[in-house]
Amino acid sequence: MSTGPGTSDATTSDATTIGIGSIHCLLPDTTVPLEELPEFGMLDADTAAFARGTGIRSVGVFDETEQAPLAARACRELYAAHPGEPDALLLVGPRAPDVLLGSDACRVQTEAGLTSAFAFTVDGLGCTGSSAAWALARDLLVADPSREQVVITHASRPTGVDRIRFPVTVVGDAAYAMTMVRGGRPVLRAHRQQTDGSFHDLFRVDYKQAPWYEWREVCQDPSRYRFGLATLSNRKLGAMVEQVLADAGVGRDRVKATLMQNVTAAAYDFYTTLLGLPIHPVCGQHLAAYGHLGAMDVVLNLDALLAGGELEQGDLVLVLNNSPVAAWAVTLWEV
């Protein structure tokens, strides 16, 4: 199937042979109530009201200040429970790299002890990076029969010291590692992803002029985020859901659960109404307890849903993902 610029499709006759091998999510033991975050008392009235309205009640906090060690730890713990030798390691890019010029992906590789893997970063897609990574991992396995396993990892940390991202969400700490393997379940049945480069500079951090503890994320045009990007996202995700279901040859009635990333509670109601597919409550539970975990959200939600015991083999799960850089992805998994 041909696709246009900025778009890829991971549905082929081999799609049913590739799926998830294992998932390990690393969550902090320490959580901080929203209104006890250090920056909360310095917010103006509008930003404070926004933060309270996100549906986030607390965020998880790790002592570590760098992402790579957290991602490496998630990998080590996954492989301690599920031994294996990955052919490739995909680091889903963090909000800001730990180092410039050096390689965060190779640091994760060495600290995780994954000497057999070729390590690289999937970057520039924000929250949508994990969805792009599992589609890419699937394609790597389809492309070369000698490959057996790809590990994907990511760690969520705020860009600087502030966790409240007005007008988007509130950021918590976490990390995950997951593998894509031949014969894994759930099986990746269909996937679509797309980007719109015109939003590339909607958010930015002026990191060159200040030390990291003074970094502040700035939205260049909040109204463009709230209305322009929101309207485009509605149209894109609605169309992509239809495309993914058509690729898999199934109707909406076959979808047993729908998941998405955890940004604000209002988004769940909005997309439920837009798509006619209710967003599973596990998403809101994680949002309230841990905040927004970047590209990890959809992995955490999928892992919890699979562990919950409500799905049977053959059930279909739809995973939506989008980010403020104007990247969208829809994946259909078969349990």
Side-chain angles (χ1 to χ4, degrees), residues 25-294:
C25 293
L26 186 62
L27 295 166
D29 293 326
T30 300
T31 57
V32 177
L34 173 66
E35 297 194 24
E36 293 182 17
L37 290 174
E39 70 264 36
F40 194 89
M42 297 180 284
L43 300 178
D44 60 49
D46 289 344
T47 306
F50 158 77
R52 292 189 183 99
T54 58
I56 296 170
R57 300 292 169 257
S58 60
V59 295
V61 176
F62 277 122
D63 292 334
E64 293 92 334
T65 58
E66 293 186 313
Q67 288 116 159
L70 286 173
R73 177 182 162 192
C75 290
R76 288 196 305 271
E77 292 181 4
L78 179 140
Y79 281 103
H82 307 279
E85 293 289 333
D87 299 286
L89 183 155
L90 278 58
L91 174 66
V92 179
R95 294 178 179 86
D98 288 339
V99 295
L100 296 176
L101 190 62
S103 173
D104 289 350
C106 289
R107 180 181 178 186
V108 172
Q109 178 190 28
T110 191
E111 292 192 8
L114 302 178
T115 57
S116 65
F118 177 77
F120 62 98
T121 300
V122 179
D123 203 6
L125 300 173
C127 312
T128 310
S130 286
S131 297
W134 61 43
L136 177 58
R138 177 207 163 278
D139 289 349
L140 288 171
L141 293 173
V142 169
D144 187 343
S146 71
R147 298 186 183 120
E148 294 294 333
Q149 182 184 109
V150 176
V151 60
I152 305 166
T153 187
H154 172 75
S156 171
R157 288 275 302 158
T159 305
V161 295
D162 291 348
R163 296 180 178 275
I164 297 173
R165 295 181 60 201
F166 178 79
V168 185
T169 190
V170 183
V171 174
D173 295 348
Y176 80 85
M178 64 179 287
T179 56
M180 293 288 290
V181 300
R182 302 182 188 283
R185 301 198 79 93
V187 174
L188 198 160
R189 280 284 302 274
H191 177 88
R192 292 269 180 161
Q193 59 193 37
Q194 190 168 351
T195 58
D196 184 329
S198 65
F199 289 87
H200 71 95
D201 60 350
L202 185 57
F203 290 84
R204 64 176 297 174
V205 175
D206 189 8
Y207 73 94
K208 291 186 177 181
Q209 304 301 319
W212 73 269
Y213 51 82
E214 293 181 2
W215 288 357
R216 297 294 181 271
E217 181 177 310
V218 177
C219 179
Q220 305 297 319
D221 187 346
S223 64
R224 190 174 184 224
Y225 169 75
R226 287 171 164 165
F227 302 108
L229 181 56
T231 300
L232 184 59
S233 294
N234 303 343
R235 188 166 70 248
K236 293 289 187 181
L237 283 175
M240 291 167 70
V241 166
E242 296 300 327
Q243 291 168 343
V244 163
L245 294 177
D247 291 340
V250 299
R252 288 168 177 261
D253 59 314
R254 287 286 313 280
V255 177
K256 294 297 184 181
T258 302
L259 304 173
M260 61 179 291
Q261 82 276 18
N262 308 330
V263 179
T264 64
Y268 305 135
D269 294 334
F270 181 82
Y271 281 105
T272 292
T273 301
L274 172 71
L275 302 173
L277 294 166
I279 304 301
H280 196 280
V282 72
C283 301
Q285 294 164 11
H286 290 149
L287 174 73
Y290 298 107
H292 173 54
L293 305 179

